[in-house]
Amino acid sequence: AVNVASRPGTNTYHGEAFYLFRDKALSANFPGGVDAPYQRNQFGGSLGGFLIKNKLFWFGNAERVKQDLASPISLTNFPSLSGVSSTPFKEIVSLGRLDWNATNNLKMFYRINYDNNDGTTNTLPNYSTFLNTNNSVAHGVGADWTMGSFTHAFRFGYTKFTNHIADAPNRVNDLFPGAQVRVSDFRGGPNPLAPQATFQTNKQIKYDGGKVAGAHVLRYGVGFNRIEGGGFANFFGLAPSIRSSAAFAAEAASGPFPGGTDNPLNYPVTQIVIGNGQGFFTETSAFGYPAGGQKDNRLQLYFGDSWKVRPNITLTAGIRYVRDTGRTDSDLAPIPCSAIDTTVFSIVPP
């Protein structure tokens, strides 16, 4: 069993605040690298206290991260195009909590957590960046009740998570508007992973009980988690990917654009990859989308006994049952091989 507890309020007001600053000017310079800016601001604090002494307490905290960063791009085949790609990151994390001592034997709480972050990134050191955004909110309600030699703990939680992958703002080195250009180690333009969206909600209820019976400590419980997911992954949905190879340097030298072999647009097209507009996980509607929904039910039961045979010998035994329906879409027949996510056209240059 794993128990995670957040800090509650007390009969006195207490809090703290912090600020962390880091800048490239305060860091070492690495020889031979591309000069890339970096600055990180991280700040936050917490505050807690009481609404009714000995009865009702409150606590909250929040933390903010703002990081301005540019990733160095070092290209072997196109050194003149080496540089930096802006990859900023922002995040806010917060928590609020209320605790109520209803009676001497009954304590209750409510907690809310919120996390939001977005960052511009790429899958490889290249200029084909995308914006990744995550948003999570979680509610938790709990009650702990003791009655003689019995203990009871009830928990209910609701969590909603969303993720979006979209085109990154202020992309650089978009050589050909409306398409990703990929020649050897150079990649520029819209990222093929976008657009994407992922959603999930968890509705979970859990009971844990205990009983002291002589030399035995009995523990038992039941939990149920209803998971609903959804989303899509429309690869190459923003633009097609136009590809070539540095092996065609001779053709590129006499290409129609300035720069000769230093310009990826002078290399003959050998492959074009486009998306077919499909990318839903399932045909079931969910989260406002016409398809992509999935559902999963998870049930668990357990029983255990810690028996103190002698003052220096304790035997522990338990049994646990888990039933997971699985987030599958088994009502559909196998998908034919022709229904692929992408279509590839190969062009042999003269």
Side-chain angles (χ1 to χ4, degrees):
V2 177
N3 293 317
V4 179
S6 54
R7 185 186 303 177
T10 66
N11 279 329
T12 60
Y13 293 102
H14 59 279
E16 62 180 10
F18 70 91
Y19 178 74
L20 171 68
F21 176 78
R22 187 177 179 183
D23 190 83
K24 184 179 182 299
L26 306 175
S27 303
N29 292 320
F30 295 96
V34 178
D35 186 26
Y38 171 80
Q39 187 178 93
R40 183 181 180 92
N41 293 269
Q42 186 172 355
F43 51 91
S46 62
L47 186 64
F50 66 93
L51 296 175
I52 303 176
K53 273 198 171 184
N54 301 316
K55 279 288 187 180
L56 188 60
F57 309 94
W58 61 273
F59 178 81
N61 69 359
E63 180 176 339
R64 172 71 169 172
V65 177
K66 182 179 180 295
Q67 179 172 281
D68 297 307
L69 174 68
S71 300
I73 308 296
S74 181
L75 303 174
T76 302
N77 294 296
F78 301 97
S80 63
L81 296 179
S82 296
V84 296
S85 178
S86 179
T87 53
F89 175 80
K90 298 177 182 179
E91 182 173 27
I92 183 169
V93 183
S94 61
L95 175 145
R97 176 170 174 143
L98 284 173
D99 289 87
W100 179 35
N101 295 334
T103 67
N104 291 333
N105 299 326
L106 176 62
K107 302 181 187 304
M108 304 180 69
F109 74 87
Y110 166 73
R111 186 192 69 240
I112 180 172
N113 296 80
Y114 177 73
D115 181 17
N116 177 272
N117 64 76
D118 64 76
T120 301
T121 185
N122 48 26
T123 51
L124 295 170
N126 57 65
Y127 296 108
S128 183
T129 55
F130 61 87
L131 178 64
N132 186 72
T133 303
N134 297 294
N135 192 84
S136 302
V137 60
H139 302 269
V141 178
D144 296 294
W145 178 38
T146 60
M147 185 177 60
S149 59
F150 287 90
T151 62
H152 308 280
F154 302 90
R155 298 291 185 269
F156 173 76
Y158 172 77
T159 303
K160 184 174 182 180
F161 166 79
T162 61
N163 167 263
H164 289 276
I165 296 179
D167 194 20
N170 304 320
R171 277 187 284 106
V172 295
N173 272 331
D174 287 349
L175 298 181
F176 193 82
Q180 183 201 52
V181 177
R182 176 175 172 178
V183 181
S184 189
D185 59 350
F186 175 85
R187 289 172 177 82
N191 194 281
L193 296 179
Q196 286 192 55
T198 305
F199 308 92
Q200 181 171 314
T201 60
N202 287 54
K203 303 180 183 73
Q204 186 171 10
I205 188 169
K206 192 170 184 286
Y207 165 75
D208 297 284
K211 162 71 175 176
V212 178
H216 297 267
V217 178
L218 307 176
R219 295 182 176 90
Y220 43 87
V222 58
F224 179 76
N225 190 5
R226 168 72 166 180
I227 302 174
E228 296 186 33
F232 67 90
N234 187 7
F235 299 124
F236 300 95
L238 295 178
S241 177
I242 301 175
R243 304 180 180 183
S244 186
S245 170
F248 300 103
E251 290 83 349
S254 58
F257 298 98
T261 57
D262 289 335
N263 190 339
L265 294 180
N266 285 327
Y267 289 76
V269 176
T270 59
Q271 192 179 74
I272 300 176
V273 183
I274 62 174
N276 60 9
Q278 300 181 23
F280 287 111
F281 304 150
T282 69
E283 86 288 3
T284 305
S285 61
F287 298 98
Y289 286 87
Q294 297 172 308
K295 296 180 180 179
D296 184 11
N297 296 315
R298 296 179 181 178
L299 173 68
Q300 65 169 341
L301 305 165
Y302 74 90
F303 177 81
D305 179 20
S306 293
W307 176 27
K308 201 171 189 63
V309 183
R310 296 175 58 86
N312 60 344
I313 298 177
T314 301
L315 295 179
T316 301
I319 185 171
R320 181 169 177 257
Y321 170 81
V322 176
R323 166 66 176 168
D324 189 342
T325 61
R327 280 176 284 176
T328 59
D329 195 27
S330 57
D331 63 307
L332 297 180
I335 299 176
C337 293
S338 59
I340 57 177
D341 234 13
T342 59
T343 303
V344 177
F345 297 93
S346 294
I347 302 175
V348 179

